Amino acid sequence: MSRFGRTGPPDITDTYSLLVLNVTFRTTADDLFPYFDKYGKVVDIFIPRNRRTGDSRGFAFVRYKYADEAQKAVDRLDGKVIDGREIAVQFAKYGPNAERIQKGRIIESSPRSRSRSPRRRHRDDYRDQDYRRGRSRSLDRYDRDKYGRERDYLHRSRSRSVSPDYHRARGRGRYYDEHRSRSHSMDSASPIRRSPSLHRSPSPQRSPSPRGQNPDRLSREGRSPTPLGISSRGRSADT
DNA sequence: GTTGAGCGTT
């Protein structure tokens, strides 16, 4: 017994599922087990993770055998700092198959007639098989929005300095990276971000020069002859 | 190496 949920859900008929949020990306079910096991009988612990990268998504599901124990765990572990991060424990609102859940217990097992709640997010696209199938003009709107924002960020970046909005907008870097890996849309953005580079550097000759391979640099360090052949460098150093 | 709103697998 090293890992929970290794063989799928054991029995979710009389178990109460707890949703643990804010857990660290490196926290495993085994790490959460002792914390929750102290407050009741833990039937199973499952941490959803990316199928490609295998990284944890940042939350876990803890199933208790009794509701009172689960409630106690929620009251005691909610706000508990684990692995340097404050976790949030609460009863699960949705079941494994999006069934209706009451107090963590599944009261419905056939959600075929149930409409989906607006819980979908960017991180939900981790299921490549699903998102690839449903990728229509619906997601096109996101692409257009993303490009528009990125272009704006580039515009401001080379204009003067980086903005705090950049740090906030770089949230789903991983998700974006996965998408642009299989997409050729990057070509359209390449010349855009490469243009300002050429404009910013008035001396394109000193660009492709690693360390110690440039004799010109050695000459300058040896005696500093400052060849007047280059106007950009000469003007900068002389003045 | 990073990230941080949310609801899940054989």
Side-chain angles (χ1 to χ4, degrees):
Chain A
M1 293 194 201
S2 294
R3 201 177 262 183
F4 297 92
R6 185 173 54 187
T7 58
D11 61 336
I12 55 177
T13 52
D14 285 325
T15 56
Y16 297 88
S17 300
L18 291 185
L19 174 64
V20 186
L21 294 173
N22 253 3
V23 296
T24 48
F25 292 102
R26 46 188 187 180
T27 301
T28 61
D30 293 332
D31 296 332
L32 297 177
F33 177 72
Y35 287 92
F36 289 87
D37 188 58
K38 288 190 299 183
Y39 298 101
K41 181 66 169 65
V42 178
V43 179
D44 181 54
I45 298 182
F46 171 67
I47 298 183
R49 56 185 189 176
N50 197 301
R51 291 174 182 177
R52 285 178 302 228
T53 61
D55 290 337
S56 303
R57 292 173 58 185
F59 63 96
F61 288 97
V62 180
R63 277 202 284 265
Y64 275 94
K65 190 68 175 79
Y66 303 101
D68 59 320
E69 294 179 344
Q71 179 62 56
K72 186 169 58 180
V74 173
D75 187 58
R76 301 294 295 178
L77 293 178
D78 185 34
K80 180 76 174 179
V81 179
I82 295 183
D83 203 71
R85 200 84 178 184
E86 189 180 83
I87 67 172
V89 183
Q90 57 191 257
F91 280 95
K93 299 188 297 185
Y94 309 98
N97 294 327
E99 313 98 328
R100 188 173 300 177
I101 278 192
Q102 186 178 49
K103 209 69 172 176
R105 183 179 62 177
I106 303 177
I107 62 178
E108 197 170 289
S109 50
S110 294
R112 50 191 169 187
S113 298
R114 175 186 166 274
S115 296
R116 277 222 173 173
S117 294
R119 59 171 179 85
R120 56 184 184 208
R121 275 185 57 84
H122 300 87
R123 292 292 285 266
D124 265 2
D125 294 57
Y126 75 98
R127 27 167 48 172
D128 40 41
Q129 48 199 14
D130 282 355
Y131 89 84
R132 208 176 270 178
R133 176 184 57 185
R135 191 181 184 277
S136 277
R137 59 176 180 87
S138 302
L139 285 181
D140 240 356
R141 180 171 58 86
Y142 284 88
D143 289 344
R144 191 152 49 90
D145 193 28
K146 263 190 305 185
Y147 278 108
R149 194 190 303 176
E150 188 182 59
R151 191 178 60 174
D152 189 35
Y153 133 68
L154 286 173
H155 210 71
R156 263 191 294 188
S157 178
R158 63 130 177 164
S159 182
R160 185 163 289 270
S161 60
V162 76
S163 202
D165 291 61
Y166 163 68
H167 292 281
R168 196 186 306 168
R170 63 185 279 274
R172 42 279 195 197
R174 190 175 56 194
Y175 142 81
Y176 190 80
D177 202 37
E178 290 173 357
H179 273 250
R180 111 176 128 105
S181 290
R182 57 130 185 100
S183 186
H184 297 79
S185 304
M186 198 179 86
D187 294 344
S188 54
S190 275
I192 300 182
R193 59 186 296 178
R194 208 158 48 181
S195 283
S197 293
L198 294 174
H199 285 279
R200 277 182 64 181
S201 292
S203 38
Q205 290 184 355
R206 56 178 292 188
S207 281
S209 293
R211 60 273 174 198
Q213 278 220 344
N214 200 356
D216 188 53
R217 180 157 168 254
L218 292 173
S219 300
R220 185 177 65 171
E221 280 189 355
R223 183 169 283 274
S224 159
T226 42
L228 29 90
I230 303 176
S231 55
S232 60
R233 215 251 311 267
R235 180 174 57 187
S236 182
D238 208 31
T239 319

